[in-house]
Amino acid sequence: MSDADNYKMGSQEGLQFSFLADHTSFMYNQPKQQNPSDTMSFFYNTPSPSPAFDPSCSSSEPPLFAVNKNLGENPNSSEAAAVEEADSCPKHCKAGDLKPKKVKEKKAREARFAFVTKSEVDNLEDGYRWRKYGQKAVKNSPFPRSYYKCTSQKCSVKKLIERSYEDSTMVITTYLGRHNHHSPATLRGRAAVLPPPLQPQFGFHNFPENYFTSIHPNFPQLEINPQFLADQFNMDSSFLQHP
DNA sequence: CGATTTTGACCTGCGC
DNA sequence: GCGCAGGTCAAAATCG
């Protein structure tokens, strides 16, 4: 079975994926019957109170991930539990814990951007070239985590890939750092069909710049690049184009 | 033969 | 200080 077939299988159920950017979780869940003219957007999902922004939660939490709370019919499903794990920091800063915490000066954590996709292939094609440099077993998970570095010289972006232990069909991808170069795929001739690259102040700096068509920094609603989705999910790009 | 992957060893940070 | 877990290194193996 080809990768394209795998993506097709995912899209038959509608597009479902979630992601985190700098400790804030986002989710996207497109119903199968969505109106083709609808804008495809990600929406802010800030927990309240919001431990996601607790600066003391900075260096040793498990990989950031979230699973859409609305994916399952049962609100008490394990997927909803996974969101709780992603939205709260482990042990020392649970939501509702108002005790002052010992805050250490820590090396600034590399910005992260994590998202979840439903796919049978682990390493989703994102236009960049990656070299695997490690693989580790993950506690409480039967699936290992793979570590990748961008192969471009002077680019220190890393990517972590693992499968969700709650749902083995979900792939958790975490980007660390920001590319200092264009996507090789873009340079190879896709520029003609892609919008101009976003500027370096791109708010979700760990993500390939061609993922999104626009960013609203004060109201974080993202519009995904239709051509990118078409490429990733083997969909008809005309279905995804804005009216 | 160069690039990439595999995999065990090693390093680091954190909690107890 | 010790043990655990996450992350990285680097030599060997594999691939194209």
Side-chain angles (χ1 to χ4, degrees):
Chain A
M1 180 180 289
S2 68
D3 289 352
D5 289 333
N6 291 333
Y7 286 126
K8 268 183 183 172
M9 289 180 63
S11 64
Q12 284 170 357
E13 300 173 17
L15 293 175
Q16 301 175 340
F17 48 97
S18 307
F19 61 94
L20 296 185
D22 292 346
H23 291 225
T24 301
S25 64
F26 296 80
M27 60 178 61
Y28 179 73
N29 182 15
Q30 181 191 11
K32 191 177 178 180
Q33 305 300 329
Q34 183 177 10
N35 183 334
S37 65
D38 286 351
T39 297
M40 306 182 70
S41 304
F42 294 93
F43 290 94
Y44 210 41
N45 176 34
T46 303
S48 180
S50 177
F53 292 104
D54 185 338
S56 69
C57 301
S58 59
S59 65
S60 61
E61 66 266 45
L64 301 171
F65 69 92
V67 176
N68 192 334
K69 287 178 179 177
N70 299 323
L71 289 181
E73 293 181 2
N74 179 1
N76 296 320
S77 69
S78 59
E79 290 170 339
V83 170
E84 294 308 315
E85 179 175 338
D87 285 350
S88 61
C89 296
K91 299 179 181 178
H92 62 296
C93 52
K94 293 188 176 75
D97 180 1
L98 300 178
K99 290 182 181 178
K101 306 171 187 66
K102 184 170 64 177
V103 179
K104 292 182 182 177
E105 284 293 329
K106 294 179 181 175
K107 186 173 64 176
R109 195 181 97 162
E110 206 168 12
R112 291 183 171 209
F113 185 102
F115 65 98
V116 180
T117 54
K118 189 180 184 70
S119 173
E120 290 187 2
V121 291
D122 291 346
N123 196 353
L124 301 175
E125 176 59 48
D126 59 11
Y128 290 90
R129 296 186 65 208
W130 303 92
R131 180 171 62 248
K132 188 175 182 176
Y133 67 92
Q135 177 172 304
K136 287 286 290 187
V138 181
K139 186 186 176 187
N140 295 329
S141 173
F143 306 105
R145 178 181 302 144
S146 296
Y147 299 84
Y148 295 84
K149 283 180 181 173
C150 181
T151 59
S152 177
Q153 285 189 339
K154 298 179 182 177
C155 181
S156 60
V157 174
K158 296 167 191 170
K159 180 166 80 168
L160 281 57
I161 297 177
E162 66 184 282
R163 286 198 172 270
S164 168
Y165 69 96
E166 296 281 358
D167 181 351
S168 63
T169 67
M170 306 301 278
V171 178
I172 304 161
T173 304
T174 305
Y175 288 89
L176 300 93
R178 181 195 293 184
H179 291 285
N180 59 11
H181 58 96
H182 290 283
S183 158
T186 299
L187 295 177
R188 281 200 304 264
R190 292 172 62 175
V193 296
L194 292 171
L198 294 164
Q199 296 304 306
Q201 59 267 32
F202 180 52
F204 300 93
H205 30 190
N206 311 312
F207 211 66
E209 57 209 13
N210 60 348
Y211 269 53
F212 303 109
T213 57
S214 66
I215 296 295
H216 307 275
N218 296 328
F219 185 74
Q221 174 179 341
L222 316 179
E223 295 181 7
I224 200 164
N225 181 333
Q227 184 62 51
F228 180 84
L229 263 188
D231 291 346
Q232 291 299 300
F233 295 98
N234 194 32
M235 298 173 72
D236 179 359
S237 61
S238 64
F239 172 81
L240 298 169
Q241 294 299 329
H242 291 274

